[in-house]
Amino acid sequence: LAQALLPSSLLTALLNSASQQHSFAMSLRCVGFCGVDDSVDVEMLKLISSRFPQAEFGVLFRDGKDGMPRYASKAWVERLADAAATAMPPMRLAAHLCGTHIADLLEHGDTSFVRERLLPLGFRRIQLNATQINGAKLTDYTKAAARLKELIATVPEAEWIVQANEETQELWQPLANTLTPPSNAALLFDASCGTGKMSADFLPLPRNGIRCGYAGGLNPSTIVKAIRALRTGVAKNGVIWLDMESGVRSVVDGKDTFDVAKALSVCKSLEAEGWEMIQSAESDVPPPPLPPNVKVSGHPLLAHKLTLMRDRSTPPREFRSLLREVTTHLGYEATAHLSTGERSDVVSPVGPVPSNQAVRLTDSVALVPIMRSGLGMVDAMLELLPNAVVHHVGMFHAGGGQPIEYYSRLPRDSACDLAFILEPTIATSATVNATIGKLKGWGARRIVVLSVIVSRRGLFELGDKHPDVEVCAVSVDHLLTDDGFVFPGVGDVGDRQFGTPAGNPTSKSVYARPQIMAAVEHPRTCSSSNSRTSSPGPVSGGGLCSPSLGPQHAPITRVLGDHGVILDTLDIAEPESAEPSATQLTTHDGAYGPAPVRMDWGAASPALRGPVVATSRHPNQRNAIGAHSGGYSIYRALAVASQNLNEAYTPKLGLTTPVARIGPFAKWFDKKAIVTIDPFGHAISEGFAPWIEKGYDIRPTIAVTKAHIELPECREALRLNRLQADGSVLSADGQSFVTKAAIEPVWYLPGVAERFGVSEQRLRESLFKETNSMYPELVTRKDLKLFLPPIGGMTVYIWGDPEKIPDESVELTVRVHDECNGSDVFGSDICTCRPYLTHAIEECIKTAQRGGTGVVVYFRKEGRALGEVTKYLVYNMRKRQEGGDRASEYFNCTKEVAGVTDTRFQVLMPDVLHWLGVTKIHRFISMSDMKHDAVVAAGIKIVERVEIPPEMVPKDAQVEITAKVFAGYHSGKAYEAAKDKAALDAVRGREYTSATAYGVSVREGGGALGAASEAK
């Protein structure tokens, strides 16, 4: 640990940094009681929590031990979670993971247990007991440390705790060594490795500010000695927590049980010692002074009224009154330095008042309450400044990321001299800092912040970013809770004022955790199947079947088989189709109104999962952000606006069902395998019949049909005998017969984020920002996990029988092709796109004729997903650069124009192959390493890679193919020459002159032969 300890000079800087949360005297975040189990009634734990809200209850999770002493059963954990959610205040829960859970997380990166089990149950702290005594078996701690860093970033809603001891050094030391540790990472120093042995010496706190706790041998008889030693020793000036397991166990009737009496004894001892120990004036390490722009009132009357506000039993009416009174007193102090001017027109009852004794306020003043908590301060300030204008700013901080602004109407060109920001509490200062920045940009000349309670961290952050802004406050509290509240604070001021759930202890089920609707089977009798259906006989599941649909929706074909088992429609809420009374700019999760249709991505059947609801007809029941058809939704809007389309029209889907059976496959039910398309998108009238029968407007996102394709290249191949007509795959006149599927993107945001190794929050914020705020629900609706992005989808072309694709013994040829309109459609020779595409089609035809299957997936990713305009700009740069269009500068030109060489991100591409059931590709028609590596990483085997024949490469495309081969793309022996640096420099394409006249603007390139010829 000595390597993790920073120099004392840096410690001083850290103590003065706004990012630190030290209270400058050792304080306890909480005390953890690990190993709660079925031996204790959850209501007893609830009572302890109500008396000592600092108590945290830890549940041990280890495979094969459910229901054993110290390892709670699943049913008991459910009861605990329900009790925790309905407690007031909510109980603290921590999950202590052991056994195979450690390998799942730190070797395989599998967060499903945390995301799908622990977080929904209310566990917000996840401790990793990565020691042998806890059943953990890690083969490489260094790699595990790297994986841990990824977990911390991708699951920011959880605080990740590492049990720190000698055995786990390689895992936790990187966190202790880094200068800026993640805010949701923590260390538990436990030299006993969970055995309960008392530590002789406590390790010092790392000086980088990472959250820390201590464990080992703590019990009712040692707790006082331990906390005193920590407060005067290594944890002095820190904020820690304590944890114990064996110390709160007893043997009762021969059974190892959790001892409630011991837990209560520990809490009482800690209360007597003080949860928060304020440093004495004689301390040798005084806290850093408050920033010079801060004024904290020491008035005893305000301290008295603040105490009444802190009391959680104070009802909303009294809380509002107290807030007004406190604001009035605070306002007097904040307005002490208002600018004044003389008046010469004042006459008192006894005569004229001299101008030096008559004054007027000269500043134009604006009151800026940050809604909604700041509203309670407005009336009191208006009584002091009745001529002030009020400008409301709606902004909130959802935790992680930037604050979200939902309302602002600051008048243009009407900035004030003095703006008072009204914000009752300041925790991290993120929201108030954003408001200050907005007011400065507006033109406010001077800004003063009025706040009842501020955190020390918030003050330093505000002072660092805006040292010119004055802050007037009643109290400075030292700590922040895990969920971002000032501690001890007053809670959520908005809720406390207006009696909304979190501020009203009498409100029912305020803190109840979300309930996951379980599948309830209702046996019902089915008639014989439709003679035209392709479903193989009766489905399983106790007689369940699709409800009767009207003829306009009844599927003419069925492709889901046993997975078409559905729930009775009585389990489905009635659709709401009422016209909203106002246009909503956005919606918020947890607010009245939104009640999205359930969506359990990756569930065992479409009915258990739920449909994608993204039409405008059910605004409150949508479970997806965005609209169907991507960019084409704009044309739908034009049709509605011009009254060419009735927006209430519902498509008739009965005859639109697939012409071929694709799936279901195992990957359809793996929420990590397919995250960019809805695998059931082609079978909604079959899989989601109950919702359609109820009246929900559900649209397909996949359509499967058949076609005859006629290409001049196929006719030429017939003429040259490269292809042979057989009448079933290829006709004598060059027509090939295909099954094709059009697919629109449906993104499961948690899965997409995981693919890119970023947090879901980071992904949402980036999508919101880079679409210029088109989709505010990306940041306001964390409950909506689906996004229908406004991008092009893809088309799958299949030669041969689609049902043979999953059979690894049957030959499969595949090309994944990204759109190139200029070449694919119009034959531009600057690239190899159309030649490679037609070559792939020819190979697919041959494979189908041999009894196999050929597949071409055509993605709408024009210009490497940079767009056609960007691509053409790159063309111009390539053709006009000094030295001509040469292979050595091929990639650089794209980067110079776009800032990046490629944004196709092939990591998302294999989803469609999983949808098709592909597990093995015999011939992969591609030279791209990015595509190859993405497919292999997805678990799909590739036997052979096939490059484009050199004779098919157009003359001007020699620049592209040479650059790619030299860069390491797969190539055969025919391209050996392109790997030579001299060849890279020699290849030239056409050049564009500086002239724009038609006849002299182009020089013909030499292709593989050398420089361009003179202009003609």
Side-chain angles (χ1 to χ4, degrees), residues 243-262:
D243 196 87
M244 61 199 73
E245 179 184 338
S246 299
V248 286
R249 307 291 299 188
S250 292
V251 177
V252 179
D253 296 331
K255 296 181 180 179
D256 180 16
T257 62
F258 181 84
D259 194 325
V260 172
K262 288 185 177 180

Side-chain angles (χ1 to χ4, degrees), residues 91-115:
M91 295 165 62
R92 297 170 180 259
L93 299 183
H96 295 233
L97 304 186
C98 310
T100 57
H101 292 300
I102 300 299
D104 288 343
L105 287 164
L106 299 183
E107 290 192 344
H108 311 304
D110 183 359
T111 60
S112 57
F113 182 70
V114 173
R115 290 183 183 276

Side-chain angles (χ1 to χ4, degrees), residues 661-673:
R661 182 165 183 168
I662 297 174
F665 303 111
K667 294 294 185 181
W668 290 21
F669 311 103
D670 181 347
K671 66 169 51 181
K672 294 186 176 184

Side-chain angles (χ1 to χ4, degrees), residues 441-457:
W442 176 51
R445 296 167 184 82
R446 180 181 163 211
I447 299 172
V448 178
V449 177
L450 267 68
S451 186
V452 179
I453 298 176
V454 295
S455 74
R456 183 175 288 272
R457 171 186 170 186

